[in-house]
């Protein structure tokens, strides 16, 4: 009997789920835009998901006053403060629900803020316990706020647009955690995808949507330059992040004809070498490809023709890599490829002697690019503009 009484008293002392928070009490943040405001203040704009069916439109608010904008299934709220934490508290003041960051997929940083330094903002994202380290980071042309306010025609909100573009390997895929590692590394350089707004030509009713157009390069946490889409392709090759892509080449003497390859598989190997004071890097790239279109008169079923086209594909890859190397080594002097890590791993003694002068050494490294393309399937049609005789309709 005494045991029953004691157990009953213990059970009465248990509070159960007294501190639980219902989903209906949470504001689910899907994206956050961080901009530089007047003076040294930070402006934080959060995209909050509306859990309902159909597009509802929305509006943005700053300090409780509507500013316009929003998303098909989201609303945007804005707050300004001396720090990002202070700005977040201002956003919370204009929301009836508690901000929940567990579903935040992307963070977008505005161009002006990126030029002054982003280390403090990245540090806060990593320290705040409710934010995701695996969220993707982007740099926007102009204000980041316009990205989260855009209304995409296909996806529910702009965060999904950027996330789907990252999945399709259109540009770089950099998370908050990866950026922090790059900024804390010996090279003091980093690279992030660059976002611009795509305007619908001839249709002013449709709002612009964000899309990835190149990449932004950082040194000491400050944005120092940009790489266009062609150079960014070279960065993807060098970082071994190229997945599925289409590469088109123009064979000589084919009167404007082209051959397009579908990249099925690729791998990049970085091989460092130190001989005396000369540092060099060999980049070996191997790909497997299918021919998916041929607008030339070349018979691509002939092995010698396939080999010639493979050589053209190899040269195209090498040219794109050299384009990225020239931009990074000669203009920006920023090691965004991870060369420092490769040298550190293979030549730790020499690296430790020179790591503090890496910014000066990196532009002098001779890079040899060796691409090898293997064409697996040329396709059924042998020459462009003609079908096999058995397939010609009478």
């Amino acid at each position: 009997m005494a045991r029953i009484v004691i157990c009953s008293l213990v059970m009465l002392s248990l509070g159960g789920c007294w501190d639980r928070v219902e989903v209906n009490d949470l504001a689910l943040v899907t994206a956050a835009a961080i901009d530089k405001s007047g003076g040294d203040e930070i402006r934080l704009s959060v995209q909050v998901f509306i859990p309902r069916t159909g597009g509802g439109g929305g509006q943005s608010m700053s300090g409780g006053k509507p500013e316009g904008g929003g998303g098909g299934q989201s609303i945007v709220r804005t707050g300004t403060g001396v720090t990002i934490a202070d700005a977040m508290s201002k956003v919370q003041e204009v929301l009836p629900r508690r901000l929940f960051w567990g579903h935040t997929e992307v963070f977008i940083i505005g161009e002006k803020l990126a030029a002054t330094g982003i280390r403090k903002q990245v540090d806060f994202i990593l320290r705040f316990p409710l934010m995701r380290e695996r969220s993707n980071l982007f740099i926007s042309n102009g204000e980041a706020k316009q990205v989260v306010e855009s209304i995409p025609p296909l996806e529910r909100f702009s965060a999904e647009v950027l996330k789907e573009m990252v999945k399709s390997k259109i540009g770089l895929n950099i998370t908050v955690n990866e950026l922090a590692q790059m900024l804390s590394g010996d090279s003091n350089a980093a690279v992030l995808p660059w976002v611009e707004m795509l305007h619908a030509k001839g249709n002013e009713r449709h709002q612009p949507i964000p899309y990835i157009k190149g990449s932004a390069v950082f040194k000491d946490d400050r944005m120092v330059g940009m790489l266009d889409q062609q150079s960014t392709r070279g960065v993807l090759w060098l970082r071994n992040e190229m997945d599925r892509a289409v590469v088109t080449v123009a064979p000589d003497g084919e009167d404007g004809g082209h051959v397009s390859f579908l990249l099925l598989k690729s791998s990049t190997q970085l091989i460092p070498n130190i001989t005396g004071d000369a540092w060099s890097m060999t980049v070996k790239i191997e790909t497997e490809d299918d021919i998916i279109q041929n607008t030339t008169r070349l018979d691509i079923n002939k092995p010698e023709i396939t080999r010639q086209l493979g050589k053209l594909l190899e040269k195209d890859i090498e040219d794109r890599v050299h384009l990225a190397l020239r931009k990074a080594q000669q203009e920006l002097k920023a090691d965004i490829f991870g060369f420092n890590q490769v040298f550190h791993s293979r030549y730790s003694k020499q690296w430790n002697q020179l790591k503090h002068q890496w910014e000066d050494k990196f532009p002098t490294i001779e890079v040899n690019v060796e691409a090898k393309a293997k064409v697996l399937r040329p396709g059924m049609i042998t020459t462009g503009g003609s079908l096999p005789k058995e397939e010609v309709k009478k």
Side-chain angles (χ1 to χ4, degrees):
M1 185 65 182
R3 290 181 180 179
I4 297 176
V5 173
I6 293 173
C7 290
S8 299
L9 292 174
V10 171
M11 292 177 64
L12 289 173
S13 65
L14 297 177
C17 299
W18 61 272
D19 62 343
R20 69 180 181 182
V21 179
E22 299 288 349
V23 175
N24 291 338
D25 297 328
L26 298 176
L28 306 181
V29 179
T30 56
I34 310 171
D35 288 300
K36 182 178 176 60
S37 187
D40 295 328
E41 290 188 322
I42 300 296
R43 184 175 64 213
L44 175 67
S45 304
V46 298
Q47 184 181 84
V48 179
F49 174 62
I50 303 174
R52 65 176 183 231
T53 305
Q59 65 181 10
S60 172
M61 296 183 68
S62 177
K65 297 181 179 180
E67 291 186 349
Q73 280 192 245
S74 66
I75 58 173
V76 177
R77 296 292 184 265
T78 301
T80 303
V82 293
T83 65
I84 187 173
D86 185 32
M88 186 173 64
S89 68
K90 298 298 194 302
V91 174
Q92 186 63 79
E93 292 176 2
V94 296
L95 279 172
R97 299 184 181 186
R98 184 191 304 180
L99 289 170
F100 179 73
W101 297 87
H103 293 287
T104 308
E105 296 181 321
V106 300
F107 288 93
I108 308 106
I109 298 176
E111 182 180 4
K112 288 184 179 179
L113 180 58
T116 62
I118 61 174
R119 192 180 300 275
K120 295 179 181 178
Q121 284 68 44
V122 175
D123 180 73
F124 173 78
I125 296 173
L126 290 172
R127 287 178 182 273
F128 195 68
L130 299 179
M131 292 188 178
R132 300 172 59 190
E133 297 179 0
R134 296 181 63 85
S135 300
N136 286 97
L137 265 171
F138 303 86
I139 303 299
S140 72
N141 178 30
E143 292 188 347
K145 182 184 177 184
Q146 64 178 340
V147 177
V148 297
E149 287 183 334
S150 62
I151 304 176
L154 294 178
E155 308 297 340
R156 293 176 298 176
F157 35 80
S158 56
E160 286 189 342
V161 175
L162 294 175
K163 198 68 177 180
E164 290 299 322
M165 287 186 175
V166 167
K167 289 180 182 179
S168 62
K169 304 294 183 180
I170 292 177
L172 292 164
N173 182 358
I174 307 295
T175 65
V176 175
N177 187 46
E178 290 170 339
L179 175 63
Q181 292 178 6
M182 286 189 283
L183 293 177
S184 61
D186 294 321
S187 67
N188 289 324
V191 60
L192 287 173
W194 175 262
V195 175
E196 294 188 7
M197 301 302 293
L198 178 64
H199 295 266
K201 294 183 178 180
N203 193 343
E204 298 179 355
R205 294 179 301 172
H206 289 176
Q207 290 195 13
I209 60 172
Y211 72 110
I212 299 174
K213 189 180 181 181
S215 51
V217 178
F218 288 77
K219 287 177 64 176
D220 296 326
D221 91 323
R222 296 170 184 255
M223 179 179 163
V224 295
M226 282 183 54
L227 299 177
D228 59 18
Q229 289 175 307
Q230 290 276 12
S231 300
T232 300
R233 280 292 185 94
V235 175
L236 291 171
W237 286 114
L238 285 161
R239 291 171 59 92
N240 196 25
E241 295 179 6
M242 182 63 74
D243 191 7
R244 296 180 67 88
V246 174
V247 181
T248 301
V249 299
D252 293 334
E254 288 303 313
D255 194 24
H258 296 82
V259 177
S260 294
F261 297 86
L262 174 64
L263 173 67
L264 302 175
K265 182 180 178 181
S266 73
S267 64
T268 301
Q269 184 181 9
L270 302 180
I271 305 173
N273 181 67
I274 298 179
T275 305
D277 294 331
W279 291 38
S280 63
M281 181 72 74
T282 299
V283 180
K284 290 189 175 182
I285 301 174
E286 295 184 359
T287 71
E288 295 181 359
D289 313 86
D290 281 351
I291 296 178
I292 58 174
Q293 187 172 12
N294 174 28
T295 63
T296 70
R297 304 302 299 181
L298 296 173
D299 187 350
I300 57 178
N301 275 335
K302 293 183 178 180
E304 62 272 19
I305 299 298
T306 303
R307 285 193 293 268
Q308 292 176 14
L309 294 174
K311 293 296 182 184
L312 289 178
L313 176 58
E314 293 168 358
K315 184 179 183 305
D316 184 90
I317 294 173
E318 292 173 359
D319 288 345
R320 295 190 186 206
V321 171
H322 282 298
L323 186 65
L325 286 167
R326 284 194 298 270
K327 187 77 174 181
Q329 283 188 294
Q330 307 306 322
E331 297 184 31
L332 302 176
K333 295 179 172 57
D335 178 12
I336 57 177
F337 315 119
F339 283 8
N340 63 312
Q341 299 174 8
V342 180
F343 278 108
H344 187 189
S345 177
R346 181 70 64 87
Y347 300 97
S348 57
K349 182 178 179 180
Q350 294 92 324
W351 166 256
N352 288 327
Q353 294 173 350
L354 190 129
K355 64 180 181 180
H356 298 297
Q357 291 83 39
W358 181 243
E359 184 176 348
D360 298 324
K361 186 66 177 178
F362 174 67
T364 67
I365 295 176
E366 181 182 352
V367 183
N368 304 307
V369 184
E370 301 175 4
K372 184 178 181 181
K374 183 179 180 181
V375 181
L376 299 180
R377 291 174 287 270
M380 293 181 61
I381 300 177
T382 59
T383 60
S386 64
L387 292 172
K389 290 183 179 180
E390 63 271 18
E391 293 186 16
V392 175
K393 295 182 179 180
K394 299 295 184 180

